[in-house]
Amino acid sequence: MSSQLLMIEDDARLAQMVGDYLAQSGLQVLHRGDGESGLQRLQNPEGAPLPELVILDLMLPGIDGLEVCRRIRALPGSVARIPILMLTAKGDAMDRVIGLEIGADDYLPKPFEPRELLARIRALLRRREAGSAQAEHVMRFGQLEIDRDARTVSVAGQPAELTSYQFDLLVTMAERAGRVLSREQIMEAVRGRELEAFDRSIDVHMGRIRAAIEADPKNPRRILTVRGVGYVFAKQQD
């Protein structure tokens, strides 16, 4: 069975060329010409399987590739972990650095050799397969354990009581441990999970999560507030 990739690229001719070339190696390429439609394909697959990798152009009409990358990494569950190969025509190395810092897995400057693109795609897919084989349903952070399948949380072996909303919020943060997320990114990540509207009430939910999992909720070590930005789930061990 061929692997399916999503290419978000406004150059239709280039996308066609890449699709034809990769098809010879058993890779099927879905093409979207702008960031919004690319994100829609990832968020609303209508029962279709998720792409195994995203080829993302930096320069796009509307929202640019950096913003698309940020939004993908803020999506829920396995969508946020899809490998991203960023294409850039810019000579400034800073664009590539920023892309890698916000979640891109690799980059390839234009113009590129199709053979190099194929080699990089295969490397990312191998890395993804190896990571999937090691994935666990239970996330552990020191004494904190989050069982995504059972939808339970425990601290030092003792159950922590959370509502369904708060559990989804905690999972959203834990899956992105170490990344600072704005309230808007968190809301985007939990969209479509039958959750209530959050806006500023997200702060109330965060306070209740802290009360359930922190030894000292007034001086949290796990869910930290980043003033003027949002929240970060700290990776440090207890």
Side-chain angles (χ1 to χ4, degrees):
M1 188 176 183
S2 64
S3 296
Q4 188 178 87
L5 317 179
L6 173 63
M7 186 171 190
I8 307 176
E9 165 66 64
D10 62 329
D11 186 336
R13 184 177 178 181
L14 174 62
Q16 182 66 50
M17 181 199 74
V18 167
D20 291 344
Y21 180 81
L22 295 181
Q24 300 174 32
S25 298
L27 299 173
Q28 179 187 358
V29 177
L30 302 175
H31 174 230
R32 296 294 184 272
D34 60 82
E36 291 289 358
S37 61
L39 288 167
Q40 288 172 7
R41 174 60 182 81
L42 293 172
Q43 292 174 279
N44 303 298
E46 298 180 353
L50 282 172
E52 296 182 40
L53 180 142
V54 173
I55 304 171
L56 176 62
D57 186 28
L58 179 65
M59 301 298 291
L60 291 169
I63 58 175
D64 65 18
L66 293 177
E67 179 61 23
V68 173
C69 184
R70 289 191 190 96
R71 295 191 189 184
I72 291 174
R73 292 301 180 230
L75 291 172
S78 59
V79 184
R81 297 189 293 275
I82 292 175
I84 297 175
L85 173 60
M86 185 168 283
L87 304 178
T88 172
K90 287 191 172 183
D92 188 352
M94 186 55 64
D95 291 306
R96 298 192 288 272
V97 171
I98 293 173
L100 294 172
E101 286 182 343
I102 66 175
D105 296 277
D106 199 358
Y107 72 88
L108 188 61
K110 295 179 179 178
F112 54 82
E113 285 289 335
R115 287 178 296 178
E116 183 178 3
L117 174 65
L118 176 60
R120 289 174 181 265
I121 289 172
R122 283 175 169 167
L124 289 174
L125 291 177
R126 284 195 301 268
R127 192 186 311 169
R128 181 177 188 263
E129 184 176 351
S132 296
Q134 299 173 5
E136 295 181 350
H137 296 296
V138 178
M139 292 184 286
R140 295 180 176 86
F141 302 89
Q143 295 183 323
L144 173 66
E145 292 190 1
I146 306 169
D147 189 327
R148 283 175 283 198
D149 286 351
R151 294 182 66 81
T152 58
V153 178
S154 64
V155 179
Q158 299 300 312
E161 298 297 326
L162 294 175
T163 68
S164 178
Y165 302 134
Q166 291 156 13
F167 179 86
D168 284 333
L169 270 176
L170 179 60
V171 169
T172 294
M173 298 291 294
E175 287 177 341
R176 299 158 179 79
R179 299 179 190 168
V180 178
L181 300 177
S182 67
R183 292 176 180 82
E184 291 74 20
Q185 286 176 312
I186 296 170
M187 286 188 285
E188 185 73 18
V190 297
R191 180 177 296 173
R193 295 194 190 183
E194 301 297 328
L195 300 186
E196 62 192 9
F198 286 114
D199 53 66
R200 296 298 294 187
S201 71
I202 196 170
D203 298 330
V204 176
H205 285 291
M206 288 296 182
R208 290 172 180 166
I209 293 172
R210 283 171 171 160
I213 70 170
E214 299 275 7
D216 182 358
K218 292 185 179 179
N219 296 285
R221 297 183 60 206
R222 190 61 69 190
I223 296 181
L224 309 179
T225 300
V226 180
R227 291 189 180 277
V229 182
Y231 295 92
V232 61
F233 186 100
K235 292 181 178 180
Q236 86 271 4
Q237 300 298 304
D238 295 331

